């Protein structure tokens, strides 16, 4: 049983303003596994105040000073990898191999990327007589979700630190352990007092006052579209910058020259990874109508191979994060059946042999049409929908017919053809044959959000642009 009773404010482990706590439930056991201090507006005030006081000095540091800090953080992060992984497994159910592998690696990847960018970034450029300067935007409020907790903390904190900003982080109340260890890592690396602050708590108690705070210059949020809208609304009166990384219902267009069995198998494994709790999950697979039955069979075989169970063991899928999430996924699976999609594998209820824990059967629906609820709503569980198309134009229309626009993939052997389709997709992160790049900008069109994270584009979200006219008269 973990207990975290302090926040990290102004370089010290600070007692909260009041004694309220919240409990964390281990989704594999459904038992309480931790108690964490629950913050309030008074804690946000103290943390923002600490960040404001630290800002002038941190903003004025050289890039070399900031790189040195990031390198020290990298060393500490490496030392705490096992602690981070164990925390992730406990708080959100990621299987040990995933938690200690990709989940922790993503955080390290964003740290390495922040260092690389800072090493080469041009903060100033001349345009005629004018000097254009990129300056840190100020105090940042960072609000993160539970599904890839470290990835989302890292992709905000490291570029913000690199840019010269100070910040207050509020991790998800469903996954607060990794956030607390993350703060210990920064403390261990000697982050200057007030540059990084941590306040734990829920959306209304901490997230809302942080986004509304007049002392916060920018809010970076990742989570649901619902909360993203609330944050923007609360931030509006103080006209701060708001970046939102929200939900998705991303298409995966399998072209007719793609190796069907290999692509479908790979796509099932990737979607089901992290129990489908990935904002950019390719949850709508599009195949030519003629290949629907073969795709369904390949997906069934791939899903049947995935082991589900205790995430501390050697399994492909752990539980989903919470009872609420479990219920929502069950209701959507039921809806898919009721609306007439073909259930290929999986379905409602827990996988055989599991009587406790929020475990969901890896589920595949075929013959899905894009008007069905399971093709429109983000399920955020291990549920794949397969839709048929007649020709490329129709595939592109279906792919773009969504309220979201976060990610997409185009699978195909002919690169020119795949490229042409990728250009027509209205989404922010479009991969060809599942490519990956830490430097590519990540973010969404439409209800998937505003702004970009990752790489140089993410870094620039933490900068203001200043023009000094007449700086260098001829
Ligand atoms: P959530 O929106 O419920 O919570 C996310 C964070 O926002 C939490 O820290 C929460 O406490 C806080 N919050 C909630 N209401 C708030 C409010 N009114 N004001 C301020 N803060 C508030 O989302 P979740 O359930 O934790 O995460 C799942 C969602 O996140 C999914 O919809 C998923 O698609 C999305 N997501 C998006 C990305 C992306 O990069 N686009 C990445 C991961 C997750």
């Amino acid at each position: 049983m973990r207990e975290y009773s302090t926040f990290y404010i102004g370089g010290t482990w600070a007692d909260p303003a009041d004694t309220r706590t919240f409990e964390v439930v281990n989704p594999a056991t459904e038992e309480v596994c931790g108690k964490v201090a629950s913050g309030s507006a008074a804690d946000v005030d103290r943390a923002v105040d600490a960040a404001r006081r630290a800002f002038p000095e941190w903003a004025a540091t050289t890039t070399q000073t900031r790189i040195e800090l990031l390198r020290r953080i990298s060393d500490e992060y490496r030392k705490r990898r096992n602690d981070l992984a164990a925390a992730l497994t406990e708080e959100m159910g990621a299987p040990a191999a995933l938690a200690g592998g990709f989940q922790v690696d993503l955080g390290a990847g964003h740290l390495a990327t922040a260092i690389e960018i800072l090493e080469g970034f041009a903060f100033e450029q001349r345009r005629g007589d004018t000097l254009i300067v990129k300056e840190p935007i100020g105090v940042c409020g960072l609000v993160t979700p539970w599904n890839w907790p470290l990835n989302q903390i890292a992709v905000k904190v490291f570029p913000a630190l690199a840019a010269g900003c100070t910040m207050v982080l509020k991790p998800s109340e469903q996954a607060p352990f990794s956030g607390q260890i993350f703060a210990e890592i920064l403390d261990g690396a000697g982050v200057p007092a007030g540059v990084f602050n941590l306040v734990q708590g829920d959306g209304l108690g901490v997230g809302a006052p942080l986004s509304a705070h007049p002392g916060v210059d920018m809010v970076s949020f990742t989570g649901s579209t619902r909360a993203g809208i609330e944050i923007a609304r609360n931030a509006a009166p103080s006209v701060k910058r708001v970046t939102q990384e929200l939900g998705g219902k991303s298409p995966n267009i399998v072209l007719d020259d793609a190796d069907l069995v290999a692509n479908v198998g790979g796509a099932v494994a990737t979607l089901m990874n992290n129990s489908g709790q990935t904002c950019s999950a390719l949850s709508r697979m599009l195949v030519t109508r003629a290949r629907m039955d073969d795709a369904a069979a390949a997906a069934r075989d791939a899903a049947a191979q995935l082991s589900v169970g205790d995430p501390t063991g050697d399994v492909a899928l752990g539980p989903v994060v919470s009872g609420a999430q479990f219920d929502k996924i069950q209701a959507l699976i039921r809806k898919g059946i009721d609306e007439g999609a073909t259930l290929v594998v999986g379905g409602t209820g827990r996988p055989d042999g599991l009587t406790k824990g929020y475990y969901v059967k890896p589920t595949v629906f075929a013959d899905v049409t894009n008007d069905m609820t399971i093709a429109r709503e983000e399920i955020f569980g291990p549920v794949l929908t397969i839709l048929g198309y007649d020709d490329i134009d129709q595939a592109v229309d279906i792919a773009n017919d969504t309220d979201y626009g976060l990610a997409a993939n185009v699978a195909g052997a002919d690169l020119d053809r795949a490229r042409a389709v990728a250009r027509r997709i209205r989404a922010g992160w479009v991969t060809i044959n599942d490519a990956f790049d830490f430097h590519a900008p990540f973010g969404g069109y439409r209800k998937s959000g505003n702004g970009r994270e990752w790489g140089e584009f993410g870094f620039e979200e933490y900068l203001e642009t200043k023009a000094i006219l007449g700086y260098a008269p001829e």
Side-chain angles (χ1 to χ4, degrees):
M1 176 87 171
R2 293 171 192 256
E3 261 191 64
Y4 293 114
S5 59
T6 53
F7 303 142
Y8 190 67
I9 298 177
T12 58
W13 295 99
D15 288 329
D18 66 43
T19 54
R20 283 184 315 125
T21 58
F22 63 92
E23 291 180 335
V24 182
V25 172
N26 180 331
T29 61
E30 300 183 37
E31 279 160 19
V32 174
C33 62
K35 211 163 81 173
V36 180
S38 187
S40 61
D43 299 303
V44 171
D45 284 345
R46 278 193 302 157
V48 172
D49 185 48
R52 283 224 80 76
R53 278 186 280 113
F55 178 67
E57 204 174 316
W58 183 244
T61 51
T62 61
T63 54
Q64 195 48 39
T65 300
R66 305 206 287 270
I67 287 169
E68 280 162 18
L69 174 67
L70 290 168
R71 292 217 173 103
R72 292 199 303 277
I73 294 173
S74 181
D75 293 341
E76 288 295 315
Y77 190 95
R78 206 168 302 120
K79 284 187 221 157
R80 302 293 302 272
R81 281 185 70 99
N82 292 344
D83 296 341
L84 287 166
L88 291 166
T89 298
E90 225 173 292
E91 65 192 4
M92 49 76 65
L98 172 66
F102 201 42
Q103 287 259 13
V104 174
D105 288 345
L106 275 169
H110 294 305
L111 178 49
T113 306
I115 294 171
E116 266 176 60
I117 290 167
L118 196 47
E119 279 169 340
F121 194 77
F123 284 89
E124 299 191 353
Q125 59 168 288
R126 286 265 304 278
R127 295 235 179 142
D129 296 355
T130 301
L131 182 73
I132 297 165
V133 187
K134 297 277 187 184
E135 296 184 335
I137 190 164
V139 174
C140 302
L142 311 176
V143 181
T144 56
W146 48 262
N147 58 329
W148 291 88
L150 265 182
N151 168 60
Q152 286 132 353
I153 290 173
V155 80
K156 298 183 191 309
V157 169
F158 295 137
L161 279 177
C165 293
T166 59
M167 68 211 69
V168 180
L169 168 69
K170 190 208 90 65
S172 166
E173 65 273 36
Q174 295 187 65
F177 302 158
S178 51
Q180 199 82 19
I181 296 171
F182 186 89
E184 290 170 10
I185 289 170
L186 266 65
D187 182 51
V191 64
V195 168
F196 168 85
N197 304 274
L198 170 91
V199 179
Q200 301 271 19
D202 61 18
L204 286 182
V206 179
L210 185 59
S211 33
H213 206 292
V216 172
D217 302 291
M218 181 265 198
V219 176
S220 176
F221 169 75
T222 299
S224 62
T225 301
R226 175 203 63 78
I229 292 168
E230 276 308 302
I231 288 204
R233 214 196 298 275
N234 286 329
S238 50
V239 200
K240 51 176 64 80
R241 183 181 298 170
V242 179
T243 70
Q244 302 153 303
E245 300 290 348
L246 309 174
K249 192 72 198 177
S250 300
N252 179 14
I253 302 181
V254 183
L255 298 176
D256 58 8
D257 64 349
D259 177 337
L260 190 74
V261 173
N263 270 288
V264 171
V268 167
T270 307
L271 172 98
M272 305 278 175
N273 188 30
N274 210 33
S275 295
Q277 304 167 116
T278 301
C279 51
S280 54
L282 300 165
S283 54
R284 288 186 298 145
M285 178 187 285
L286 278 72
V287 299
T288 54
R289 232 171 271 288
R291 299 213 287 181
M292 175 63 78
D293 290 347
D294 290 343
R300 182 196 57 226
D301 292 350
Q305 279 173 22
L306 298 170
S307 52
V308 185
D310 179 356
T312 60
D314 182 18
V315 291
L317 273 74
V320 297
V321 72
S322 65
Q325 217 37 45
F326 178 85
D327 291 345
K328 181 188 151 197
I329 296 164
Q330 297 299 317
L332 282 163
I333 294 175
R334 165 68 34 218
K335 195 115 191 164
I337 296 167
D338 291 348
E339 290 183 2
T342 305
L343 180 64
V344 175
V345 66
T348 53
R350 289 188 179 85
D352 290 346
L354 294 169
T355 53
K356 211 171 183 201
Y358 306 124
Y359 296 101
V360 176
K361 292 177 186 165
T363 296
V364 176
F365 283 105
D367 306 309
V368 175
T369 55
N370 210 37
D371 56 348
M372 290 180 184
T373 309
I374 53 170
R376 305 216 71 86
E377 282 187 25
E378 185 179 46
I379 300 176
F380 231 54
V383 182
L384 176 69
T385 63
I386 310 180
L387 298 89
Y389 66 84
D390 296 318
D391 55 36
I392 295 287
D393 288 344
Q394 192 186 36
V396 170
D397 285 347
I398 295 171
N400 288 335
D401 175 17
T402 168
D403 291 340
Y404 296 106
L406 183 56
N409 181 60
V410 183
D414 179 339
L415 189 55
D416 282 339
R417 232 170 124 229
R419 283 176 177 145
V421 175
R423 284 181 179 277
R424 296 174 65 188
I425 305 293
R426 302 274 300 163
W429 175 271
V430 183
T431 55
I432 296 176
N433 294 324
D434 301 304
F436 185 81
D437 179 2
F438 269 114
H439 286 268
F442 183 93
Y445 285 31
R446 298 185 290 266
K447 284 193 180 159
S448 289
N450 280 302
R452 292 292 177 268
E453 295 199 296
W454 296 51
E456 201 165 304
F457 288 83
F459 182 72
E460 294 217 14
E461 298 284 356
Y462 296 94
L463 297 172
E464 269 291 11
T465 303
K466 178 159 81 189
I468 307 179
L469 289 75
Y471 186 85
E474 287 298 306

